[in-house]
């Protein structure tokens, strides 16, 4: 009799482990898909950085045109109202070429943090890097950038700006 009970317990424990593994596996797949979408948004936004000159008289319109699809309405409005707080191209050379992602972290359901570097280039290659941190939110079924911090406050003459 005890052998049958032991076998029954082993079967029940195995079923519970299998079912929970199945659901955790499903959650991992959902998380991986979300992270991939978040990283794609950041990568595409990084490619658009070179298209917005921080010195242009049409900067607010350029922000709308080149960043509109990547930013929450609140961040887009803040950058259009105060273009000097936006990220973009400071000079003709070097210019921001891309964002290289270092890490993607789930902050809470529907919100991810991404850290990395804005890579600046010239016609001869890489010219420098600036740390960047972005927070993305799941909005309208897509991932939009809700806040951006860049620069390093511990380095003299570095600019750190956060917009939320």
């Amino acid at each position: 009799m005890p052998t049958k009970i032991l076998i029954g317990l082993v079967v029940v424990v195995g079923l519970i482990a299998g079912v929970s593994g199945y659901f955790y596996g499903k959650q991992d797949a959902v998380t991986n898909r979300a992270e991939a979408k978040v990283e794609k948004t950041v990568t595409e936004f990084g490619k658009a950085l070179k298209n917005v000159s921080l010195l242009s008289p049409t900067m607010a319109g350029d922000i709308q045109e080149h960043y509109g699809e990547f930013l929450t309405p609140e961040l887009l409005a803040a950058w259009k109202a105060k273009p000097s707080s936006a990220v973009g191209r400071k000079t003709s050379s070097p210019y921001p070429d891309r964002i290289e992602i270092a890490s993607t972290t789930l902050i809470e359901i529907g919100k991810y943090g991404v850290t990395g570097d804005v890579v600046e280039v010239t016609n001869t290659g890489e010219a420098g890097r600036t740390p960047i941190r972005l927070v993305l939110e799941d909005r309208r079924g897509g991932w939009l950038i809700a806040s951006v911090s860049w620069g390093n406050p511990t380095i003299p003459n570095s600019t750190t700006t956060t917009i939320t």
Side-chain angles (χ1 to χ4, degrees):
M1 196 68 159
T3 304
K4 289 183 179 180
I5 292 173
L6 182 59
I7 291 171
L9 283 173
V10 167
V11 168
V12 168
V13 168
L15 285 172
I16 291 171
V19 169
S20 66
Y22 171 78
F23 286 112
Y24 282 118
K26 282 222 174 264
Q27 183 59 40
D28 286 346
V30 168
T31 300
N32 290 340
R33 281 194 306 273
E35 283 183 15
K37 289 178 180 179
V38 164
E39 290 177 357
K40 182 176 190 233
T41 298
V42 171
T43 300
E44 294 300 315
F45 174 69
K47 291 177 185 176
L49 292 175
K50 68 179 125 257
N51 299 320
V52 175
S53 170
L54 300 179
L55 303 175
S56 171
T58 62
M59 188 170 157
D62 294 343
I63 288 171
Q64 175 68 49
E65 179 182 348
H66 297 289
Y67 296 168
E69 68 183 288
F70 305 111
L71 308 179
T72 61
E74 299 84 4
L75 182 57
L76 182 61
W79 280 4
K80 286 172 62 178
K82 187 178 176 191
S84 62
S85 64
V87 295
R89 187 178 190 139
K90 297 175 191 165
T91 60
S92 61
S93 185
Y95 60 88
D97 182 58
R98 64 189 179 279
I99 294 174
E100 285 190 4
I101 297 171
S103 69
T104 303
T105 307
L106 178 66
I107 297 171
E108 61 187 50
I109 294 175
K111 188 181 279 191
Y112 276 88
V114 177
T115 61
D117 291 315
V118 174
V119 179
E120 293 192 343
V121 299
T122 65
N123 60 356
T124 60
E126 187 174 319
R129 291 171 177 255
T130 303
I132 190 165
R133 175 166 167 60
L134 306 97
V135 175
L136 288 87
E137 296 177 357
D138 187 5
R139 302 256 189 115
R140 301 185 315 253
W143 291 94
L144 298 177
I145 300 166
S147 77
V148 177
S149 303
W150 71 95
N152 187 337
T154 61
I155 298 174
N157 301 320
S158 179
T159 302
T160 301
T161 304
T162 302
I163 302 296
T164 56

